[in-house]
Amino acid sequence: MDKTLKNRKLVILAGGYGTRLSEETINLPKPMVEIGGKPIIWHIMKYYSTFGVTNFIICCGYKGYLIKEYFANYFIHNSDITINLEKNSIEVHKKKSEPWNITLIDTGEGTLTGGRLKKVKDYVVDDDFFFFTYGDGLSNINLSEQVHFFSQHNYLALITGVKPPGRFGAIVNDGPTVLNFIEKPEGESGTINGGFFILKPDIFNYIDDDFTAWEDKPLKKLSSDKKLGLFIHDGFWQPMDTLRDKNNLEKLWLNNSAPWKIWD
């Protein structure tokens, strides 16, 4: 645990439809798709909490009530209990919960990513910085190193660059400064947006409304203002965009070789 990250906040996007994973998301919001019996959003939160981040703000949308129900019942689902139907009482025996504070915000079903982020402004506006990520990707990024890097520069936002196969758009950078974005370069892929951001509240000035995609105008304007930094992560990174991705993550977990599992 990094004591300097205690009480820091993580905002998680959890409102999209997940259409490319329709086999699972027809009944569930994408962040609730399970890896090893736990929703992927739990894996993300567990990873951050090992660094000391235990305050979470979840931007809900599509089937957000299922995320709310999961965490509302988390204590009961993860503890040994006795239920007395006659007395309408529940006795908890072994508590197996997490020291997490979770705020769940309905950000609308049709809201785009930037709009979702702006809807939780009041919960982070007084922080000098906060973490921000998508609810469908896992990594073993060193958050302590990322924060240290961020503190050494005058950026308003820090993006994590990763290098997966070349089916994604790429970042054009000059050292740690983002200059531009290009769409799906041919051949070997360049550096792409892996999520796992660090943001200062001033970034809200770059988001217009509900119909603003975070990955479009805000990031491009931040880069043109030279206020967007790049933290390169050469380790594990895997989004869960398709059923194949989901199965790959499941295989890593079941084989006890999940790189993001850094807790006991």
Side-chain angles (χ1 to χ4, degrees), residues 61-76:
Y62 171 69
K63 294 187 181 294
Y65 66 93
L66 293 175
I67 303 176
K68 293 179 180 179
E69 288 177 358
Y70 175 77
F71 286 111
N73 295 308
Y74 188 91
F75 188 78
I76 290 178

Side-chain angles (χ1 to χ4, degrees), residues 197-213:
F197 303 90
I198 298 178
L199 307 177
K200 292 182 179 179
D202 283 348
I203 59 93
F204 291 112
N205 297 326
Y206 288 77
I207 303 173
D208 293 332
D209 51 34
D210 286 2
F211 305 104
T212 302

Side-chain angles (χ1 to χ4, degrees), residues 1-10 43-56 98-100 129 131 139-148 196 198 231 233 259-264:
M1 178 181 292
D2 185 337
K3 293 182 179 179
T4 65
L5 299 186
K6 187 178 181 180
N7 297 322
R8 291 294 178 182
K9 297 171 185 173
L10 169 64
H43 290 267
I44 295 168
M45 295 164 72
K46 185 71 173 178
Y47 186 81
Y48 272 85
S49 69
T50 61
F51 286 86
V53 180
T54 55
N55 289 307
F56 303 100
E98 303 284 351
W100 298 347
F129 73 85
F131 294 98
S139 177
N140 63 350
I141 180 175
N142 189 314
L143 299 177
S144 298
E145 290 181 2
Q146 185 191 36
V147 170
H148 177 73
F196 296 92
I198 298 178
F231 181 81
H233 173 61
W260 68 91
K261 186 181 183 299
I262 59 174
W263 57 89
D264 293 329

Side-chain angles (χ1 to χ4, degrees), residues 221-253:
K221 184 66 168 64
L222 283 162
S223 66
S224 67
D225 290 348
K226 292 184 168 50
K227 291 296 183 180
L228 179 62
L230 177 64
F231 181 81
I232 294 294
H233 173 61
D234 293 321
F236 174 82
W237 177 83
Q238 175 68 63
M240 190 182 64
D241 288 330
T242 65
L243 184 60
R244 178 186 178 187
D245 294 334
K246 190 264 187 189
N247 291 337
N248 286 341
L249 292 170
E250 182 84 12
K251 183 177 179 181
L252 288 171
W253 183 265

Side-chain angles (χ1 to χ4, degrees), residues 68-134:
K68 293 179 180 179
E69 288 177 358
Y70 175 77
F71 286 111
N73 295 308
Y74 188 91
F75 188 78
I76 290 178
H77 289 170
N78 291 276
S79 301
D80 295 337
I81 62 174
T82 295
I83 301 174
N84 188 311
L85 296 180
E86 182 180 8
K87 296 181 179 179
N88 191 27
S89 64
I90 298 176
E91 180 183 359
V92 178
H93 303 295
K94 293 183 179 180
K95 301 177 182 179
K96 302 174 184 177
S97 193
E98 303 284 351
W100 298 347
N101 184 62
I102 305 169
T103 302
L104 299 112
I105 306 298
D106 183 2
T107 58
E109 286 203 9
T111 310
L112 298 185
T113 50
R116 293 190 192 283
L117 176 57
K118 194 157 189 174
K119 285 182 180 292
V120 302
K121 174 182 176 180
D122 290 346
Y123 297 91
V124 295
V125 70
D126 294 327
D127 295 65
D128 55 341
F129 73 85
F130 59 96
F131 294 98
F132 175 54
T133 196
Y134 304 107

Side-chain angles (χ1 to χ4, degrees), residues 133-175:
T133 196
Y134 304 107
D136 62 354
L138 294 168
S139 177
N140 63 350
I141 180 175
N142 189 314
L143 299 177
S144 298
E145 290 181 2
Q146 185 191 36
V147 170
H148 177 73
F149 178 86
F150 187 61
S151 69
Q152 302 300 306
H153 299 83
N154 190 32
Y155 297 124
L156 294 182
L158 187 68
I159 190 172
T160 298
V162 297
K163 294 184 178 180
R167 58 190 175 97
F168 298 87
I171 295 169
V172 178
N173 63 289
D174 178 13

